[in-house]
Amino acid sequence: MKILVPIKRVIDYNVKVRVKSDESGVDLANVKMSMNPFDEIAIEEAIRLKEAGIATEIVAISIGPAKAQDQIRQALAMGADRGLLIKTDDDVEPLGVAKLLKAVVDEESPELVILGKQAIDDDSNQTGQMLAALLGWAQGTFASKVEKDGDKLNVTREIDGGLQTVSLTLPAIVTTDLRLNEPRYASLPNIMKAKKKPLDIKEVGDYGVDVAPRLETVKVTEPPKREAGVIVESVAELVEKLKNEAGVL
C-alpha cells in the first residue's frame, strides 16, 4: 500500500502570532515555521502502518514556498520515503489544494491519503473532505484510531456524542485528530539520512489546475484582550452579575 501524506508549513504553535499594522494579514517576518501539528500526526500514523507491514511507501507532499522543503525533510527524517514540493509563493485556498492533491493522486495512485484534519493557521478543516469529494473516495475524518481489517480500513472518529467507528473501502481519505498518536522525534542519524532521500520540486502550472482564489481577506485583527476576573462577596451578587452584566441568566 502506498500512502500519500500532505503536510503544511505553518507558524510554530509556540510562537505568539502578530498581526500586520495594516491588518492585511499575519506578520511572518523572522517567525519560526514548523510542520502543522495535525500533519505531523498523519506522518506518524503512516509510519506506524509501514512498521506494521501494511504500507510499503510513504510520500510526503507540501504546497508552498521553497522553504517548505524544511518541513518535507522533517517528514523524511521521521520515516517518509520521498517528498514532493509543489512550489508557489501565493496562498492557496483549500479547494485549490484539494485540486492539486487530486492531480498528484492521479499520478501516484496511492491507496490511502492521510492528512491533518485542519491547519492551525487558517483552521479551515476543508481540504480532506474536498479531496474525497473530488476523487469520489470514502473518507474518515477526525480519526482517533486507524486499523486495517482485510481490504477495509476501520476508522474511529470523534463526534459530539462520543466515538463513531466507520469501515472504509480503499482507496480512502483519513484526516487525523490529536488523540490518534504521539509523533516521534527524528533522530540525528535519520536527519542526516533524510538529506539523501529524493525530493522532487514542481510548479503549480505543471498540473494545469486552476487555483485562483475565490475568497478575499477583508481584515485580520487580534482577538479582544480578556478582562480581569472579579471576586464577588455573595451568591446574590454573583447571580446579579451573571444576569445583568454577563447576560447568561
Side-chain angles (χ1 to χ4, degrees), residues 100-168:
L100 286 169
L101 291 178
K102 179 185 182 300
V104 174
V105 168
D106 290 340
E107 283 188 353
E108 295 284 346
S109 300
E111 289 185 72
L112 181 62
V113 178
I114 306 180
L115 65 161
K117 70 171 185 176
Q118 65 197 77
I120 62 172
D121 53 0
D122 57 18
D123 274 338
S124 291
N125 185 11
Q126 296 174 337
T127 302
Q129 294 89 326
M130 288 179 170
L131 178 59
L134 292 173
L135 289 168
W137 287 9
Q139 60 177 302
T141 55
F142 319 132
S144 61
K145 188 175 182 181
V146 176
E147 293 180 310
K148 184 76 160 49
D149 182 17
D151 58 350
K152 302 284 186 179
L153 197 69
N154 293 332
V155 176
T156 301
R157 54 192 304 269
E158 301 194 358
I159 59 175
D160 290 341
L163 299 176
Q164 177 191 61
T165 300
V166 293
S167 180
L168 309 180

Side-chain angles (χ1 to χ4, degrees), residues 159-219:
I159 59 175
D160 290 341
L163 299 176
Q164 177 191 61
T165 300
V166 293
S167 180
L168 309 180
T169 300
L170 296 172
I173 309 291
V174 172
T175 71
T176 61
D177 211 334
L178 284 173
R179 280 159 289 280
L180 179 58
N181 60 51
E182 182 71 29
R184 69 193 65 191
Y185 289 100
S187 64
L188 182 58
N190 286 338
I191 292 173
M192 301 305 293
K193 291 177 183 178
K195 295 180 179 180
K196 298 181 180 180
K197 290 184 178 180
L199 197 168
D200 296 329
I201 300 177
K202 294 188 177 182
E203 304 284 343
V204 171
D206 295 337
Y207 294 94
V209 174
D210 176 20
V211 295
R214 266 71 171 175
L215 305 173
E216 178 186 355
T217 300
V218 178
K219 183 169 65 173

